[in-house]
Amino acid sequence: EIVLTQSPATLSLSPGERATLSCRASQSVSSYLAWYQQKPGQAPRLLIYDASNRATGIPARFSGSGSGTDFTLTISSLEPEDFAVYYCQQRSNWPQYTFGQGTKLEIK
Amino acid sequence: QLQLQESGPGLVKPSETLSLTCTVSGGSISSSSYYWGWIRQPPGKGLEWIGSIYYSGSTYYNPSLKSRVTISVDTSKNQFSLKLSSVTAADTAVYYCADPARDYWGQGTLVTVSS
């Protein structure tokens, strides 16, 4: 089973700042990695798929990078609505997939 | 626009079987080459993939739950279902049905395991 480790567990930043979230896989997942955003009481929302492709309707301030075992989600300038929990998901052996444990992005 | 809706009991007794159904509307469950899935989230914790099913009935399960999970599909009703046997308090969670590839999710349903 592929294990995804996200860091940091919590990230405290202010609106307008840049956020960098990391996801490391226990073995290579090539570029088959996605990022989700989840707000309280809501289902997750897909932000990025295949490591660097923005999903439909996702603002350009969200970008993803990486391949193999190390991946990054960057939010270039935080908006108030971006404070949420973010999960990475590996899709290398679809339709079997796993999620990271999440990074909580909170307002400083 | 595809919509998914979970239904089933919100309270299940320990050692019993949890049963949920996901009804798909706005499209046919068998009209695409996508896998339907169940994902759960214990209160205050992260997301856990439970299993996936193709409209033909092919299934894939999380190894950690495989011995207790059955996912099935009923194309005539445009539904797919989850059964989780021998539940304990650790199975208390919000259960989501989803088509993660296309980012279609149900709203989630809280199932509490308690006597």
Side-chain angles (χ1 to χ4, degrees):
Chain A
E1 179 185 341
I2 299 173
V3 177
L4 299 178
T5 302
Q6 293 185 240
S7 61
T10 303
L11 185 57
S12 300
L13 294 170
S14 301
E17 291 192 294
R18 181 183 186 92
T20 302
L21 288 67
S22 295
C23 177
R24 175 165 289 179
S26 59
Q27 63 189 74
S28 176
V29 297
S30 185
S31 294
Y32 299 115
L33 190 104
W35 289 93
Y36 288 85
Q37 177 193 69
Q38 188 180 35
K39 296 180 179 179
Q42 297 183 15
R45 177 176 73 145
L46 180 66
L47 300 174
I48 301 287
Y49 64 95
D50 292 347
S52 61
N53 296 296
R54 276 190 302 276
T56 303
I58 301 303
R61 63 180 182 275
F62 290 91
S63 63
S65 62
S67 66
T69 60
D70 291 297
F71 300 87
T72 301
L73 173 69
T74 302
I75 310 172
S76 59
S77 180
L78 285 166
E79 297 288 341
E81 63 266 27
D82 298 338
F83 292 91
V85 180
Y86 291 83
Y87 294 96
C88 57
Q89 176 203 45
Q90 68 80 16
R91 301 176 166 192
S92 68
N93 53 346
W94 193 265
Q96 304 175 79
Y97 44 91
T98 51
F99 294 92
Q101 83 279 16
T103 290
K104 182 179 181 180
L105 178 56
E106 64 177 25
I107 299 176
K108 188 175 183 179
Chain B
Q1 178 79 351
L2 212 60
Q3 291 186 317
L4 284 70
Q5 178 68 56
E6 305 91 351
S7 59
L11 181 64
V12 181
K13 291 182 168 54
S15 80
E16 295 189 344
T17 296
L18 178 160
S19 296
L20 295 173
T21 296
C22 182
T23 301
V24 179
S25 58
S28 172
I29 201 169
S30 56
S31 67
S32 64
S33 58
Y34 295 96
Y35 282 83
W36 307 94
W38 287 98
I39 296 105
R40 70 179 182 178
Q41 185 170 37
K45 296 188 178 181
L47 301 165
E48 180 180 33
W49 170 68
I50 299 171
S52 302
I53 189 165
Y54 196 55
Y55 75 90
S56 63
S58 298
T59 53
Y60 298 82
Y61 298 135
N62 186 323
S64 68
L65 298 169
K66 186 174 184 177
S67 63
R68 299 193 292 130
V69 173
T70 302
I71 297 176
S72 59
V73 64
D74 186 337
T75 55
S76 66
K77 295 182 179 179
N78 232 31
Q79 296 176 334
F80 62 103
S81 299
L82 168 69
K83 291 188 184 299
L84 181 65
S85 64
S86 305
V87 297
T88 69
D91 295 308
T92 294
V94 174
Y95 285 76
Y96 294 100
C97 61
D99 170 6
R102 293 182 291 175
D103 200 29
Y104 292 117
W105 294 71
Q107 65 186 25
T109 186
L110 174 63
V111 178
T112 301
V113 178
S114 175
S115 55

